[in-house]
Structures are given as structure tokens and as C-alpha cells.
Amino acid sequence: NQIHIFDPQGNSLIPDALATLLVLSEGKPVSQYQQVVSRADGTTLPVLVNAVPIEHRDLLAWMGTEVDEGTLPAILPMALVVHQDVTPFKEAEELKDNVLGEVAHELRTPLTLIKGFASALLTDTATGKGVPLAEWQQEAITEIDLGADMLTRLTNDLLDVVRLQGRRLVINPEPFNILTLTQRMIVDLQRTTERHQIRLSLIPASLCELMASIDEGRIQQVLSNLLTNAIKYSPQGGTIEMSLRKEEQETVLISIEDHGIGIPQAEQARIFGRFARASNGETHRISGTGLGLYLCRELVLQHKGQIWFESREGVGSTFFVRLSLMPDHATSDAIKPVDPLPV
Ligand code: ADP
């Protein structure tokens, strides 16, 4: 019937990934599965699919039909599938995104002014130009400068979220050495904290280049967010271990481990969602927006990479990112799996 089904990101779904076929083939319920139905006339319908498998015996019993075991079709699976039209929710979400986008956009000009003048005042005093500022004035302007940086990060994150929703966030991959990027970031972030020690380990230790086709700014945004979180959610300080492991499958596995507050088990599944924050962050009065990890995941997915984490509340968290390397550079120093023992 010229009907096609897509996931919310616009990727065509293979039949095995369709909610209806999933429930029939696996015999397990499917809940809150988002799909987009594209009709023959080109219009689309966003739907939420919930489905439960049904036993023939149960169905006949509900219908009040006498069950004759011998006549039950043994193999044909059945399911009750509900497609809910979520157009109004999507429209409301779009409206919210548009408002967010407008606000974030409008905030950029005044923020640039605040940042520009605060930086100019600080630099002029440091270089002896103009009337020198008193110590308390310098402190106040430094706070204004830091506040402006925070607001700029927040507005940039909001603009990215809106771009992602409108599928307008495009990455521009170019060959780049991930190792150089990581080393530079560690130096920069180490400057922001005295209570944490950021360590980098390379596997193998002889690693000197990790060329990948990436959008440098975007991967820096991902790693910077993960490292900043490792610092922020370890309020007692301590070591943060970052490692870069070159793998056999022409990939690099980046891990960032902290010994901070961790993420409660029950909240882990939704932590990559938009505006998702774990409850223990609030308890420790650590501020945040819950946008960073959402953006990290989307950006890593745009690079066709993977992102996941392991965490225990009160013990710490390790975030992992796997990215493809450029073929020429992938094999030379790669870790080889240990040869299996002869049988
Ligand atoms: P933000 O830090 O701005 O709230 P993120 O999207 O980066 O947003 O993270 C989402 C939530 O995941 C955080 O609010 C926090 O509850 C949890 N989280 C992320 N990283 C860590 C970490 N390293 N340790 C503990 N909790 C974390």
C-alpha cells in the first residue's frame, strides 16, 4: 500500500525492527515504541506502538468460545497491537523547541556583549591599561565572566537540541588525531580543578596517533562533557582515569572513569534522555540541565559510534565511547586478541 515505516530519526525500519513483527517473532510485549508512518501521498503520521502477544487459548476464552485443543492453530502467532496517533504531542514538542530556539538565539547577542566587556576589563587591568580595578572589582568581574561562559554553554546546548529536533545538526567529519585532541583537553580541564587528578593511559602504551574521520569540535564537545561530568559528580575530588584503547576492529575505545557519586541503578536507563538528571545529583546540590549526555549520545550516533556507561551509586561511573578509526591507521599498533590455547 506504499506505506513505509521509519524510526523517529527518519531511518527506514527493516521488517524485523517493526514493533508488530518484533512482538510476533519474539513473543514479548513492546512498549512505547516510536515509529513514523509515511503514507502513499507523502504525508507522515507519528505513532506510539504498544503491543502484547496473545495466546490463542486466551483469545478464544475471552470471546467465550469453547476451546477445542485439537483445532487450535499451533504456529500462527497473534498479538494485540495499538498504534496511538501522537501528532498533537509532537506538535506541542515542536512548538516548545521553537520557543527554546528563539530564546537561546536572542540570548546570544547580550551574552557576547557581557563576555566581551568583562574580558576586556580583566585584560586591561592585567596589562596595566586604563584605570586599575580594585581587587573586589576584579573578583566581581571574574564572576561575571565565568557566569557568561556558563550561560553561553547553556544557550549553545539549547540551540543544539533544537537543531537536532529539526534534523539540522550536521557534522563535518575530517581526518583528525584523537590522541592530540584528548591530550589538549586534559591539559585544559586539569587547569579548572585542583582537587582532581586527570590521568591518561594509552593502550598499547606506544600509541602515538589515532586518526579518525570526525568533526573535531563535536567530538571535543562529547569528551569535554564526559570529563566535566566526571569532575562535577566527584565533589570529594580524586582521580579521573581516561584511557584510549586501540582495538582490532579499526576502532578506538575511549573510557572515562571517576570515583564519584555514581548513578542510581533505577535511573540509569533514562539518563541519556533530554533534560534527564539523576536524583542524587540534586541531593548533592550539583547543578545541571540534563542536556549534555543527550547531546553526547546524538553526536556519537551521528559519527556512527557507540556510547554507554557502567555506574554504581556511591562508587563511581565509567563512560565509554567507541569510534571508528581511518583504515590506514587502524592496524599497526592494534591490540591483538590472545591466541586461544591449542585444543
Ligand atoms: P547535567 O550534568 O547538565 O545535568 P548531563 O546530561 O551531562 O547533564 O548528565 C545527565 C545526568 O547524568 C546528570 O544530571 C547526572 O545526574 C548524571 N551523570 C552524568 N555523568 C555522571 C557521572 N560521571 N557521575 C554521576 N552522575 C552522572
Side-chain angles (χ1 to χ4, degrees):
N1 296 321
Q2 297 296 310
I3 284 176
H4 298 280
I5 316 253
F6 297 90
D7 69 12
Q9 284 72 40
N11 305 311
S12 182
L13 286 174
I14 54 161
D16 284 352
L18 297 178
T20 308
L21 294 190
L22 266 179
V23 71
L24 290 176
S25 62
E26 293 183 6
K28 289 193 204 131
V30 161
S31 82
Q32 313 284 61
Y33 203 98
Q34 287 190 52
Q35 288 181 176
V36 179
V37 179
S38 149
R39 304 191 191 94
D41 63 3
T43 55
T44 55
L45 179 70
V47 288
L48 203 59
V49 189
N50 284 290
V52 281
I54 294 181
E55 290 281 332
H56 292 84
R57 200 174 287 107
D58 294 342
L59 182 67
L60 294 175
W62 289 335
M63 289 164 65
T65 312
E66 279 292 307
V67 184
D68 174 0
E69 294 282 334
T71 59
L72 278 181
I75 15 176
L76 263 190
M78 283 199 296
L80 174 66
V81 185
V82 178
H83 284 83
Q84 182 189 358
D85 174 0
V86 287
T87 311
F89 297 106
K90 287 276 166 197
E91 282 171 359
E93 209 169 72
E94 220 166 89
L95 188 69
K96 195 175 74 189
D97 285 341
N98 288 343
V99 173
L100 274 182
E102 294 286 329
V103 173
H105 199 77
E106 289 304 314
L107 277 172
R108 288 213 313 189
T109 316
L111 269 175
T112 314
L113 287 173
I114 296 172
K115 172 81 192 160
F117 282 120
S119 303
L121 283 170
L122 289 173
T123 327
D124 283 357
T125 302
T127 53
K129 276 195 214 142
V131 185
L133 293 174
E135 201 172 316
W136 71 268
Q137 288 172 319
Q138 279 197 51
E139 276 167 21
I141 293 172
T142 307
E143 288 302 316
I144 294 173
D145 192 46
L146 289 175
D149 283 344
M150 266 177 67
L151 278 171
T152 307
R153 272 196 300 276
L154 173 61
T155 44
N156 286 342
D157 279 357
L158 283 174
L159 284 171
D160 279 347
V161 169
V162 176
R163 283 189 199 112
L164 266 173
Q165 296 299 311
R167 302 214 197 105
R168 277 178 287 109
L169 195 147
V170 240
I171 57 163
N172 298 309
E174 277 179 23
F176 205 85
N177 187 354
I178 295 186
L179 184 54
T180 322
L181 174 69
T182 315
Q183 285 166 329
R184 198 177 64 209
M185 283 175 55
I186 291 184
V187 172
D188 286 348
L189 280 165
Q190 185 62 76
R191 283 202 193 111
T192 65
T193 172
E194 283 175 0
R195 287 200 293 163
H196 304 84
Q197 297 76 45
I198 313 178
R199 299 210 182 112
L200 176 65
S201 54
L202 306 176
I203 309 165
S206 58
L207 209 60
C208 57
E209 203 180 57
L210 282 168
M211 293 302 290
S213 178
I214 53 166
D215 186 317
E216 182 208 349
R218 292 304 187 176
I219 292 300
Q220 173 162 347
Q221 182 179 348
V222 170
L223 299 180
S224 160
N225 192 75
L226 297 180
L227 277 168
T228 314
N229 278 353
I231 295 174
K232 193 162 88 168
Y233 293 102
S234 311
Q236 76 291 7
T239 49
I240 290 162
E241 280 134 62
M242 182 165 189
S243 80
L244 298 179
R245 174 188 291 266
K246 196 172 191 176
E247 299 177 307
E248 275 249 305
Q249 314 82 343
E250 305 194 347
T251 49
V252 56
L253 179 64
I254 306 170
S255 70
I256 295 171
E257 180 182 5
D258 65 58
H259 307 282
I261 62 172
I263 303 173
Q265 177 75 34
E267 298 171 43
Q268 293 187 0
R270 55 167 195 90
I271 214 72
F272 283 108
R274 277 206 303 172
F275 301 106
R277 303 206 66 215
S279 51
N280 58 342
E282 312 269 344
T283 323
H284 284 81
R285 296 175 184 276
I286 303 172
S287 63
T289 57
L291 289 177
L293 285 187
Y294 166 74
L295 289 172
C296 284
R297 190 186 61 171
E298 296 297 325
L299 291 172
V300 170
L301 290 183
Q302 292 226 6
H303 281 83
K304 306 217 180 329
Q306 296 166 311
I307 180 166
W308 71 98
F309 68 93
E310 289 163 5
S311 184
R312 275 181 63 199
E313 192 174 5
V315 177
S317 314
T318 309
F319 279 80
F320 299 91
V321 174
R322 178 173 280 133
L323 293 171
S324 292
L325 291 173
M326 291 171 64
D328 282 348
H329 298 82
T331 43
S332 51
D333 295 327
I335 298 272
K336 298 235 174 338
V338 180
D339 284 338
L341 290 172
V343 193

